[in-house]
Amino acid sequence: MTSSAPSFTPLTWDDLTARPREKPNATIAYGSDNMQKVDVWLPAGAGPHPVVLMVHGGCWQTSIADRSIMDWVAADLRRDRIAVWNIDYRGVDRTGGGYPGTFMDAAKAADELARNASKYNLDLTRVVAVGHSAGGHLALWLAARHNLAASSSLHSPAPVKISHVVSLGGLPDLEATAASPDNGCGVDVVAKLVGTDRSDPYADTSVPRLLPLNTSQTLINGREDRIIPYRMATDYVARAMAAGDEADLITVPNTGHVELVTPDAAAWLEAKKTIRAALGRKAAP
């Protein structure tokens, strides 16, 4: 009689946060709220440093997560000679969050990258945006800002240019998320995020409505992720490719949601490989 394979046990947030935590090199403020901050992680050496624009998740809610949940992967990239611009923003549960505040915060924090590139000797010729969970949506949205209508409250004339997006267990399609009670964020949060006082609240907030991005995209998802339904990735990639974008999906077996931002997990190793390739970098020796 053959024995069955051991069942998969996903990592928990406690598994990650119990690890030693490194600190960023600097923190800058782009507004008066405590969430309107960016942590800057700089590798050793003079640079110019290749840079990742990093966006945390947490169901767009400050009470669930802030930028510190990305400290472990930010430190891992810093050791790999890649700078990290780890942004924060007001969630829908914070005064000023929701629409348009959450989106405007993410946009302003991203654009601070260009304004501070000289100060920190950051190379803006190829910027890779990396977002986890709800941050995957925001990372893709940041790459789509050039498609926003001039009439949108979220429009800006010269958004920072993003050359590649890596979405880690993301929720790019807000309309699909709002119609999917099985997603780990629930459906009520989407209305708070996009607003309900406009005739078409998804027009400038949901990524599929802004396709094509004309930016290459990689979605990395755990096959055993119980927070983000797998179809969120497959459906979005199909729509992005149909719109003419270069988009692909990397599916990692025996992987849940936390593994996507855990430094030694297979999913994060796939993410680092993608990031290096997008930056034109080889692995650190």
Side-chain angles (χ1 to χ4, degrees):
M1 187 172 85
T2 59
S3 59
S4 60
S7 61
F8 168 71
T9 301
L11 293 178
T12 67
W13 287 117
D14 287 343
D15 292 328
L16 176 64
T17 59
R19 299 182 177 207
R21 185 195 299 263
E22 297 181 40
K23 294 182 178 180
N25 298 81
T27 299
I28 69 165
Y30 63 89
S32 59
D33 192 278
N34 192 49
M35 290 296 104
Q36 293 175 312
K37 300 282 180 66
V38 177
D39 286 340
V40 188
W41 299 73
L42 297 172
H49 306 295
V51 61
V52 160
L53 194 170
M54 185 169 281
V55 193
H56 73 83
C59 297
W60 305 280
Q61 296 173 72
T62 300
S63 61
I64 294 178
D66 60 25
R67 67 189 185 280
S68 66
I69 202 67
M70 307 298 277
D71 284 352
W72 290 270
V73 288
D76 192 47
L77 288 174
R78 178 171 64 181
R79 287 189 294 271
D80 214 7
R81 303 177 298 178
I82 297 169
V84 177
W85 192 259
N86 186 21
I87 72 170
D88 223 328
Y89 49 89
R90 291 170 294 177
V92 302
D93 54 342
R94 194 173 183 88
T95 300
Y99 185 92
T102 296
F103 292 92
M104 294 180 73
D105 279 4
K108 190 172 182 180
D111 289 344
E112 285 294 319
L113 172 58
R115 283 188 278 272
N116 286 271
S118 296
K119 178 179 180 180
Y120 295 110
N121 205 6
L122 303 175
D123 181 1
L124 298 186
T125 57
R126 278 185 285 189
V127 174
V128 175
V130 176
H132 177 244
S133 197
H137 157 258
L138 288 173
L140 287 161
W141 179 84
L142 288 170
R145 289 167 63 204
H146 61 278
N147 286 338
L148 291 171
S151 58
S152 169
S153 300
L154 306 179
H155 178 267
S156 57
V160 66
K161 183 174 175 53
I162 294 170
S163 60
H164 192 98
V165 183
V166 180
S167 170
L168 304 169
L171 289 159
D173 188 337
L174 296 182
E175 291 176 277
T177 302
S180 301
D182 60 337
N183 91 80
C185 290
V187 298
D188 293 340
V189 67
V190 179
K192 297 177 183 177
L193 178 67
V194 304
T196 57
D197 57 349
R198 297 175 297 136
S199 60
D200 190 359
Y202 296 109
D204 58 356
T205 58
S206 188
V207 181
R209 299 289 291 275
L210 298 168
L211 291 169
L213 307 191
N214 297 313
T215 299
S216 56
Q217 305 151 54
T218 302
L219 278 69
I220 300 178
N221 284 66
R223 197 63 186 91
E224 287 75 33
D225 191 335
R226 298 294 176 255
I227 305 298
I228 306 301
Y230 185 67
R231 67 180 182 279
M232 296 290 184
T234 57
D235 291 354
Y236 173 76
V237 168
R239 292 184 67 175
M241 293 178 65
D245 273 346
E246 180 185 338
D248 65 321
L249 170 61
I250 298 174
T251 304
V252 188
N254 294 322
T255 292
H257 202 57
V258 179
E259 288 87 349
L260 295 162
V261 288
T262 298
D264 51 7
W268 176 248
L269 296 178
E270 286 288 349
K272 274 210 302 184
K273 185 189 305 181
T274 301
I275 293 165
R276 289 193 201 106
L279 290 170
R281 304 281 293 190
K282 295 181 179 180

